[in-house]
């Protein structure tokens, strides 16, 4: 005898039947304007599923699946792109980079990033000298280290002067060393240590004469850099276009910009121009630093009066204050009681306004000062949903990571040790260095770990170099400093650069994975990220990059797709 169903059960079953019938019709009613097929689509969804094809419509992912299924979604004028078996990943987001600053001067600087020898680096100086007017500045703003050179040493002032005798030359190494040629020393009126404050020291020869080498930290180097001639606004705009296209060629479709040293409100005009003219090719979430010591809170309160959290649109938005909030906490040393009180006041204000924050902090021995402050603020203003990120902190202990996890803080791990691993070994010892940074431990504890480079003064902006370092812990000089026990998996590392960094940008509901309804931000790779040897990951590039379904970079065999 057939059992009678209750009216409620009948209704639920009828509704389910309607939905099952209607869902395919609703999907197929949307026609795609682009179909990528015959590939390996890494969706980076919760299951890390792999698909064969992807359909794009109105700038968003419509669906993923088999090539045959996706082709049925194609509209009459849809573009069909045969991937030829290539791997597709969500567009990468650098979760902490000084990209806006790098872009301003990218068109007028000499770039030593990735240059394999000092001989070739000096040749770039000679080439710039031959192309520029005598007396014009030649600037290498960073992103290199002697470990990358075959010669394993830095240039001498004599070598640089010989390469460009008629030009003032500025060559910065990370945030610890600067080389200036005699013409540069003269132009900047640098004669003694008082001219390179705070804390800078001039190297001198046997006769007590300055050599042109300056040992200094970020604050002093920033002040010197600020004295250099600035590109015009048009040069800044063109340099920004060039830099962002360079990033597109490496699969980058978004950045979380940290502001940083030498970044003042006026320095944002070039990126704003590109945004207004709809010429941005990366999505920008930007942070504002306190412009000067002593009035940080007042300055940030004034600058943000018309910048509520998230102000902007899908291509550019304000993400909050950071990374230099109180200049006293940016020195990588011990913060004073007065500095800690000021930091607490500023962070309490930021929490009350519900701003996302990026916090520069090193080392672990002092991070308790920061965490004490955040824990106290958390009692009044819960910070878990604010996506506050602690940056750098490469030597974070498990105890510190547990405190961060309890607060819902994000840990932004950059690849600075790719350039400084050998120095780290000398400072802490080979065995201790094997645990730095504790990425695997952080993930086991449940922290969201975001990826980034901190480029371009202190590192390369290449995300695949960073991904390779996350996986194998080997420096640019070939020294393996970190042990396997703290390495993420390939899946985890890619998630750091996609969904996790999009989370840092407050955009994880819109991008970071290739799921239906999210922006079609993606990169077609030159090699399969999941299967190439780890030591070849750093050589991967993008051969086709899309932002919102629009091609922003294309190389062979897809060059015609950008026309």
């Amino acid at each position: 005898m057939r059992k009678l169903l209750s009216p409620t059960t009948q209704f639920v079953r009828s509704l389910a039947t309607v939905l099952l019938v209607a869902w395919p019709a609703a999907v197929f009613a949307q026609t795609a304007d682009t179909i990528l097929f015959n590939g390996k689509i890494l969706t980076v969804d919760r299951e890390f599923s792999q698909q064969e094809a992807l359909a794009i419509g109105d700038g968003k992912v419509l669906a993923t699946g088999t090539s045959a299924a996706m082709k049925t979604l194609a509209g009459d004028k849809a573009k069909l792109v045969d991937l030829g078996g290539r791997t597709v990943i969500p567009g990468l987001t650098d979760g902490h980079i000084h990209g806006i600053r790098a872009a301003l001067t990218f068109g007028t600087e000499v770039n030593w990033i990735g240059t394999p020898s000092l001989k070739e680096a000096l040749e770039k100086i000679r080439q710039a000298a031959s192309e520029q007017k005598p007396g014009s500045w030649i600037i290498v703003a960073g992103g290199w280290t002697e470990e990358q050179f075959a010669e394993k040493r830095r240039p001498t002032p004599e070598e640089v002067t010989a390469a460009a005798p008629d030009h003032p030359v500025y060559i910065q190494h990370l945030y610890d060393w600067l080389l200036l040629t005699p013409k540069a020393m003269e132009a900047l009126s640098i004669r003694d240590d008082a001219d390179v404050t705070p804390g800078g020291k001039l190297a001198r020869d046997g006769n007590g004469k300055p050599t042109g080498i300056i040992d200094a930290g970020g604050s002093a180097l920033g002040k010197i850099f600020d004295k250099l001639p600035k590109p015009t606004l048009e040069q800044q705009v063109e340099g920004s276009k060039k830099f962002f296209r360079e990033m597109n060629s490496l699969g980058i479709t978004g950045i979380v910009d940290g502001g940083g040293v030498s970044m003042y409100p006026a320095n944002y005009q070039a990126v704003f121009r590109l945004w207004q003219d709809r010429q941005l090719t990366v999505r920008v979430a930007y942070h504002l630093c306190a412009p000067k010591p002593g009035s940080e809170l007042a300055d940030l309160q004034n600058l943000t009066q018309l910048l509520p959290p998230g102000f902007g649109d899908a291509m550019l938005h304000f993400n909050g204050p950071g990374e230099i909030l109180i200049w006293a906490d940016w020195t990588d040393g011990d913060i004073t009681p007065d500095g800690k009180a000021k930091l607490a006041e500023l962070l309490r204000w930021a929490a009350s306004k519900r701003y996302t924050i990026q916090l520069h902090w090193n080392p672990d021995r002092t991070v308790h000062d920061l965490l004490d402050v955040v824990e106290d603020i958390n009692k009044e203003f819960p910070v878990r949903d604010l996506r506050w990120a602690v940056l750098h902190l490469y030597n974070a202990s498990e105890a510190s990571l547990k405190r961060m996890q309890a607060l819902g803080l994000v840990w932004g791990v950059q690849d600075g040790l790719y350039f400084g691993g050998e120095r780290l070994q000398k400072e802490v010892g080979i065995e201790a260095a094997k645990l730095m940074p504790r990425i695997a431990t952080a993930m086991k504890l449940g922290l969201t770990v975001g990826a980034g480079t901190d480029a371009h003064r202190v590192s390369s902006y290449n995300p695949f170099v960073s991904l390779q370092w996350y996986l194998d812990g080997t420096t640019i000089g070939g020294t393996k400093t970190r042990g396997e026990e703290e390495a993420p998996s390939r899946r985890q590392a890619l998630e750091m650069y996609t969904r996790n960094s999009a989370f840092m940008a407050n955009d994880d509901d819109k991008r970071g994975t290739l799921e239906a309804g999210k922006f079609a931000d993606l990169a077609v790779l030159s090699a399969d990220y999941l299967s190439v040897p780890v030591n070849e990951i750093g050589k991967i590039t993008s051969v086709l990059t899309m932002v919102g379904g629009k091609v922003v970079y294309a190389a062979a065999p897809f060059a015609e797709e950008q026309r």
Side-chain angles (χ1 to χ4, degrees):
M1 187 174 180
R2 189 175 173 183
K3 184 177 179 180
L4 294 176
L5 302 176
S6 69
T8 300
T9 304
Q10 290 182 47
F11 172 77
V12 170
R13 289 194 176 182
S14 297
L15 179 61
T17 301
V18 169
L19 290 175
L20 286 171
V21 171
W23 180 81
V27 171
F28 282 83
Q30 302 178 67
T31 57
D33 48 56
T34 305
I35 304 291
L36 306 182
F37 69 96
N38 187 27
K40 182 179 180 180
I41 315 291
L42 306 184
T43 64
V44 195
D45 61 11
R46 291 297 178 186
E47 291 72 40
F48 205 76
S49 61
Q50 298 180 28
Q51 302 291 346
E52 188 181 34
L54 177 145
I56 300 169
D58 195 25
K60 296 182 179 180
V61 176
L62 291 183
T64 59
T66 66
S67 294
M70 294 303 99
K71 286 181 180 179
T72 64
L73 297 178
D76 294 339
K77 298 182 180 179
K79 183 181 295 185
L80 302 181
V81 180
D82 186 346
L83 297 170
R86 292 175 180 82
T87 297
V88 180
I89 61 171
L92 301 174
T93 294
D94 192 311
H96 179 67
I97 186 173
H98 301 281
I100 296 174
R101 183 180 68 194
L104 293 176
T105 54
F106 191 73
T108 57
E109 286 180 5
V110 175
N111 190 344
W112 279 4
I113 292 176
T115 304
S117 71
L118 178 56
K119 180 181 179 181
E120 292 175 63
L122 291 170
E123 182 55 38
K124 289 188 175 185
I125 298 295
R126 291 189 189 91
Q127 183 66 29
S130 69
E131 295 173 352
Q132 297 178 198
K133 295 179 180 179
S136 61
W137 280 83
I138 295 174
I139 299 168
V140 180
W144 64 277
T145 180
E146 65 268 30
E147 294 296 335
Q148 79 191 53
F149 296 147
E151 298 87 346
K152 302 298 181 186
R153 67 176 181 86
R154 301 176 188 180
T156 66
E158 293 76 16
E159 289 173 320
V160 177
T161 301
D166 299 322
H167 298 264
V169 183
Y170 175 108
I171 299 177
Q172 181 173 324
H173 177 271
L174 309 182
Y175 273 124
D176 59 13
W177 183 91
L178 177 65
L179 185 157
L180 296 173
T181 59
K183 286 185 179 296
M185 295 281 282
E186 181 182 354
L188 296 173
S189 299
I190 294 176
R191 300 178 182 86
D192 54 45
D193 291 351
D195 299 320
V196 290
T197 56
K201 297 289 183 183
L202 302 185
R204 298 178 183 274
D205 62 19
N207 298 317
K209 182 180 178 181
T211 64
I213 299 296
I214 301 171
D215 292 304
S219 295
L221 292 179
K223 287 185 176 181
I224 298 171
F225 189 87
D226 285 346
K227 296 178 181 178
L228 300 178
K230 302 295 186 292
T232 65
L233 178 58
E234 291 309 313
Q235 287 176 319
Q236 292 175 17
V237 170
E238 288 305 309
S240 297
K241 286 181 184 178
K242 192 174 181 180
F243 182 69
F244 292 144
R245 177 175 167 80
E246 173 86 356
M247 300 200 78
N248 296 150
S249 74
L250 296 168
I252 292 282
T253 59
I255 63 172
V256 182
D257 189 273
V261 176
S262 304
M263 277 302 289
Y264 307 103
N267 296 124
Y268 290 83
Q269 295 311 304
V271 73
F272 289 162
R273 171 78 66 84
L274 292 181
W275 175 50
Q276 291 169 333
D277 293 346
R278 301 184 182 276
Q279 293 183 4
L280 270 179
T281 60
V282 297
R283 300 187 192 276
V284 177
Y286 69 97
H287 287 262
L288 283 177
C289 293
K292 61 183 184 295
S295 58
E296 294 96 334
L297 177 57
D299 287 343
L300 286 172
Q301 286 175 328
N302 184 49
L303 288 169
T304 59
Q305 287 185 77
L306 299 178
L307 290 173
F311 182 80
D313 63 14
M315 287 306 300
L316 179 144
H317 70 262
F318 178 56
N319 214 42
E323 67 178 304
I324 304 173
L325 301 175
I326 299 296
W327 280 81
D329 76 358
W330 188 75
T331 58
D332 292 348
D334 296 307
I335 190 169
T336 65
D338 179 64
K340 185 175 179 178
K342 289 181 178 179
L343 177 64
E345 183 183 19
L346 193 151
L347 288 179
R348 190 174 299 278
W349 163 77
S352 72
K353 297 294 184 180
R354 301 193 60 78
Y355 279 126
T356 294
I357 289 287
Q358 287 207 339
L359 295 148
H360 174 119
W361 203 281
N362 275 322
D364 185 72
R365 66 179 172 80
T366 64
V367 77
H368 63 87
D369 287 316
L370 169 64
L371 298 180
D372 289 346
V373 167
V374 178
E375 285 171 347
D376 185 59
I377 292 171
N378 189 58
K379 297 173 185 176
E380 182 178 359
F381 301 104
V383 302
R384 175 166 294 278
D385 296 331
L386 301 184
R387 307 187 185 197
W388 286 11
V390 179
L391 307 171
H392 313 314
L393 199 62
Y394 62 86
N395 64 342
S397 65
E398 185 169 352
S400 296
L401 293 173
K402 285 180 178 178
R403 291 181 70 184
M404 289 166 60
Q405 192 279 333
L407 289 164
L409 300 180
V410 177
W411 187 24
V413 178
Q414 295 75 50
D415 64 341
L417 294 184
Y418 174 69
F419 290 89
E422 288 85 358
R423 183 189 303 178
L424 175 71
Q425 285 184 331
K426 292 178 182 178
E427 291 175 352
V428 305
I430 292 175
E431 290 304 312
K434 288 181 179 179
L435 298 175
M436 299 180 190
R438 289 179 168 87
I439 296 176
T441 294
M443 290 180 169
K444 289 175 184 175
L445 291 173
L447 268 80
T448 297
V449 183
T453 60
D454 201 22
H456 80 311
R457 291 188 184 173
V458 299
S459 64
S460 164
Y461 44 76
N462 189 327
F464 293 102
V465 167
S466 188
L467 283 164
Q468 179 176 312
W469 176 77
Y470 291 139
L471 295 172
D472 70 8
T474 300
T475 70
I476 192 171
T479 303
K480 187 175 179 63
T481 60
R482 196 210 56 233
E484 295 297 329
E485 63 270 27
E486 287 297 346
S489 67
R490 293 200 194 204
R491 169 181 174 171
Q492 289 172 324
L494 185 59
E495 288 173 337
M496 287 167 62
Y497 243 114
T498 52
R499 64 162 62 245
N500 293 5
S501 290
F503 180 86
M504 294 173 75
N506 286 286
D507 268 354
D508 54 305
D509 60 332
K510 306 179 188 72
R511 56 190 174 96
T513 66
L514 295 175
E515 298 178 273
K518 291 192 175 181
F519 288 125
D521 295 359
L522 58 87
V524 182
L525 304 183
S526 61
D528 180 26
Y529 166 76
L530 291 182
S531 64
V532 298
V534 171
N535 63 2
E536 293 183 14
I537 288 176
K539 301 175 184 176
I540 294 176
T541 61
S542 176
V543 291
L544 180 66
T545 306
M546 291 183 170
V547 174
K550 178 183 177 182
V551 175
V552 294
Y553 176 80
F558 301 106
E560 69 279 1
E561 300 299 336
Q562 199 161 14
R563 295 172 185 170

